[in-house]
Amino acid sequence: MSSSQQPFRLAVIGSGPAGVYAAETLLRTPQVKNGELEVSIDLFDRFPAPFGLIRYGVAPDHPRIKGIITALHRILGRGDIRFLGDVEFGTDLTAEDLRAHYDAVVFATGALKDADLPVPGIELEGSHGAADFVAWYDGNPDYPRTWDLDAESVAVIGNGNVALDVARVLSKSADELLRTEIPENVYEGLRAAATTDVHVFGRRGPAQTKFSPLEARELAHPQGLQVVMDPRDLEQITDAEWEAIKADKRTDQVVQTFVGWLEEQQRREAAGEEPTDREGGPVRRRLHMHFWHRPVEVLGEDGRVTGMRFERTRLDTEGRVEGTGELVDYELGAVYRAVGYHGSELPGIPYDAKRGVIHNVAGRVTEADGTVIPGVYANGWIKRGPVGLIGATKSDAIETISSLLEDIASGTLSAAPEREEDAILRLLEDRGVQYTTWDGWTALDDHEKALGAAAVDADGEPRARIKVVEREEMVRVSRDGANQPSHA
């Protein structure tokens, strides 16, 4: 197709960072900026609001990470990318619909499901995927409004960022989280929680954790929380491992945080002092950090979690984890597995079920045998798997869009038969799809901020935002707002 005759039509499925950065990367290419290639981009999302995992997969008490929304907001607010929300690929729009209306499609749907933890008993009642819990406390409209928080002692399996997020939310008082955008149903659920002890288990040692020094220190921040360390976990580190730890600044800072907690714990025990939180206040909850623990079995009675069995581990001479044969049982009322995410299959798109990704080479979607499907691309976690942070997503976008531009230049892409931009809107309307727009999002954004301004946190200060949870209400506010004069 000739770009001088008509704009290149691109659909992006998914409005999280991977989708937005794919669209933005194309718009920033020399071909587009110098006018050689004119493009028209539609960005679809199954939620009425944009931003994907940043809105529905990041802990509400992490405003620094959620600041990414500011950057995404600035990109989408320019008006050169059209947002269409509450549109489900595979239900509201099919692959055939996209081929008829767009010259190319980029799938950037992320990975929202929990990865499996294949141990006996994982299916028991009270055993949860961390991603499901995150979706609940982040107000994902597709999840129930209540969560069972009756267990006093709970386990969080994993030593990554999601495990820390879950542990921190379970450890904090509900009143502390009023400083965030948590919905009222989440606040009420956490306020009534019976949780007294949160146990975090990792297969490896303190030096192999995947979180930053700041994230480690923040674990001790909740009011009324005591961090409990097991001396064996640090005693197990060899002299050679200590040398390697001290040679890496980040690792050393993380491990020294654990060392400091243990030293303070042992000092208090030796002096016969009562434990306190980090400010010297009374202890209401305890956060137990366990390293060198490999999950073996979730224990239960009458179909419900009663505990968990672990095997203690160590590093072999090659630095790999191996079991010691020593088994340890813990009494628990609930288990949260935070061992990674897994991408979901998309109707009509070749999918690698083992890896949880779309089959692709350099972002070009392929059949299972490697045959390239012209005009179909992938970006982000659904392309490479759920690893890496925002920077990796940007690198992904550069590779995917480079592949797209090569295919445009080589003439391997066929022009979509339907060229009119609003034809897709008519198709959605004919199917009764109540899609939302960017103007609708800004109306919902203002509405959520107004809800926050009308409420107060535990200190009597206005809240910054209260997230709307019900999908129908999100759509109503968005569509009503879109009928008002556009935001400047």
Side-chain angles (χ1 to χ4, degrees):
M1 60 175 290
S2 172
S3 61
S4 62
Q5 295 175 346
Q6 50 196 350
F8 183 85
R9 297 275 289 138
L10 176 67
V12 180
I13 311 301
S15 69
V20 175
Y21 290 141
E24 172 72 347
T25 299
L26 178 58
L27 290 171
R28 286 182 171 273
T29 58
Q31 295 94 319
V32 174
K33 295 183 74 173
N34 66 20
E36 177 186 341
L37 176 66
E38 184 181 354
V39 297
S40 171
I41 304 175
D42 285 343
L43 182 71
F44 294 91
D45 203 286
R46 67 188 185 92
F47 293 116
F51 310 131
L53 194 66
I54 301 300
R55 180 173 168 93
Y56 291 121
V58 177
D61 61 346
H62 258 180
R64 289 180 305 281
I65 295 178
K66 289 219 170 188
I68 297 167
I69 284 183
T70 302
L72 302 182
H73 201 287
R74 188 165 52 246
I75 293 170
L76 294 182
R78 292 195 312 251
D80 49 3
I81 302 169
R82 183 168 64 175
F83 172 71
L84 297 170
D86 204 34
V87 179
E88 180 88 29
F89 173 74
T91 302
D92 300 321
L93 284 179
T94 66
E96 290 73 22
D97 295 328
L98 295 176
R99 278 193 287 269
H101 291 79
Y102 298 94
D103 305 313
V105 180
V106 175
F107 288 96
T109 50
L112 293 175
K113 293 196 307 182
D114 285 285
D116 291 334
L117 179 61
V119 299
I122 199 68
E123 77 288 345
L124 290 169
E125 184 179 351
S127 172
H128 309 288
D132 291 338
F133 184 54
V134 173
W136 172 74
Y137 67 59
D138 266 339
N140 185 316
D142 294 341
Y143 282 74
R145 303 298 174 257
T146 59
W147 191 273
D148 182 0
L149 293 166
D150 292 339
E152 294 182 358
S153 293
V154 304
V156 180
I157 312 301
N159 268 173
N161 296 327
V162 176
L164 290 197
D165 283 352
V166 169
R168 205 173 53 254
V169 169
L170 289 169
S171 301
K172 277 189 171 182
S173 69
D175 282 352
E176 286 180 276
L177 288 168
L178 280 178
R179 302 188 190 113
T180 74
E181 61 189 33
I182 61 166
E184 184 66 20
N185 67 294
V186 176
Y187 170 71
E188 293 295 340
L190 293 172
R191 190 162 68 97
T195 313
T196 58
D197 292 84
V198 179
H199 297 260
V200 180
F201 295 93
R203 289 190 312 115
R204 297 172 178 269
Q208 285 78 45
T209 55
K210 297 179 181 179
F211 37 88
S212 69
L214 177 60
E215 288 167 335
R217 293 193 297 271
E218 284 179 338
L219 282 171
H221 284 188
Q223 296 172 1
L225 184 72
Q226 174 198 6
V227 178
V228 181
M229 298 293 298
D230 183 343
R232 290 184 62 186
D233 291 342
L234 291 167
E235 292 167 359
Q236 188 170 320
I237 301 175
T238 66
D239 289 343
E241 289 166 6
W242 276 117
E243 289 300 317
I245 289 169
K246 294 182 184 303
D248 184 277
K249 182 178 180 180
R250 183 203 68 84
T251 303
D252 189 44
Q253 288 177 338
V254 170
V255 174
Q256 289 308 318
T257 297
F258 300 140
V259 170
W261 289 340
L262 177 60
E263 289 177 345
E264 176 62 14
Q265 175 182 313
Q266 292 175 325
R267 185 195 68 76
R268 286 184 178 278
E269 290 172 351
E273 297 178 6
E274 289 294 320
T276 69
D277 67 10
R278 75 184 190 111
E279 301 295 338
V283 173
R284 295 190 297 269
R285 286 177 177 164
R286 289 166 293 276
L287 177 66
H288 306 258
M289 300 298 294
H290 304 276
F291 300 99
W292 311 110
H293 279 64
R294 181 180 68 83
V296 173
E297 181 180 1
V298 180
L299 307 175
E301 292 181 5
D302 300 323
R304 184 166 182 86
V305 171
T306 59
M308 193 155 183
R309 178 167 296 153
F310 295 86
E311 180 184 20
R312 285 196 66 91
T313 63
R314 64 192 172 204
L315 296 182
D316 64 15
T317 55
E318 302 296 323
R320 294 173 301 214
V321 173
E322 65 177 7
T324 65
E326 178 186 352
L327 299 179
V328 189
D329 290 357
Y330 295 85
E331 291 186 7
L332 302 161
V335 172
Y336 293 82
R337 66 182 184 278
V339 294
Y341 285 103
H342 198 77
S344 298
E345 186 172 3
L346 297 165
I349 306 301
Y351 175 71
D352 182 338
K354 183 177 181 180
R355 296 179 57 218
V357 299
I358 293 172
H359 285 292
N360 76 94
V361 175
R364 293 182 178 91
V365 173
T366 71
E367 301 288 1
D369 64 4
T371 303
V372 172
I373 302 174
V376 185
Y377 304 84
N379 193 50
W381 282 4
I382 198 63
K383 169 189 174 185
R384 72 176 188 276
V387 292
L389 301 175
I390 299 299
T393 298
K394 290 183 176 181
S395 300
D396 260 357
I398 293 172
E399 180 184 61
T400 295
I401 296 305
S402 294
S403 295
L404 170 64
L405 290 173
E406 289 172 6
D407 294 344
I408 293 173
S410 67
T412 59
L413 302 183
S414 300
E418 179 55 71
R419 307 305 305 170
E420 188 183 353
E421 288 188 356
D422 287 347
I424 197 71
L425 304 184
R426 291 193 294 273
L427 177 65
L428 292 172
E429 290 163 0
D430 288 345
R431 292 176 177 175
V433 179
Q434 299 287 297
Y435 63 85
T436 59
T437 63
W438 182 253
D439 280 346
W441 157 247
T442 58
L444 179 60
D445 188 32
D446 290 344
H447 178 72
E448 291 184 339
K449 290 175 181 176
L451 291 176
V456 294
D457 63 20
D459 297 323
E461 296 295 324
R463 297 180 61 187
R465 173 194 298 272
I466 298 177
K467 190 180 288 182
V468 175
V469 179
E470 298 291 343
R471 181 182 291 268
E472 294 77 10
E473 179 68 0
M474 294 173 70
V475 172
R476 184 194 65 77
V477 172
S478 296
R479 289 180 68 88
D480 286 353
N483 291 330
Q484 303 301 314
S486 298
H487 288 64

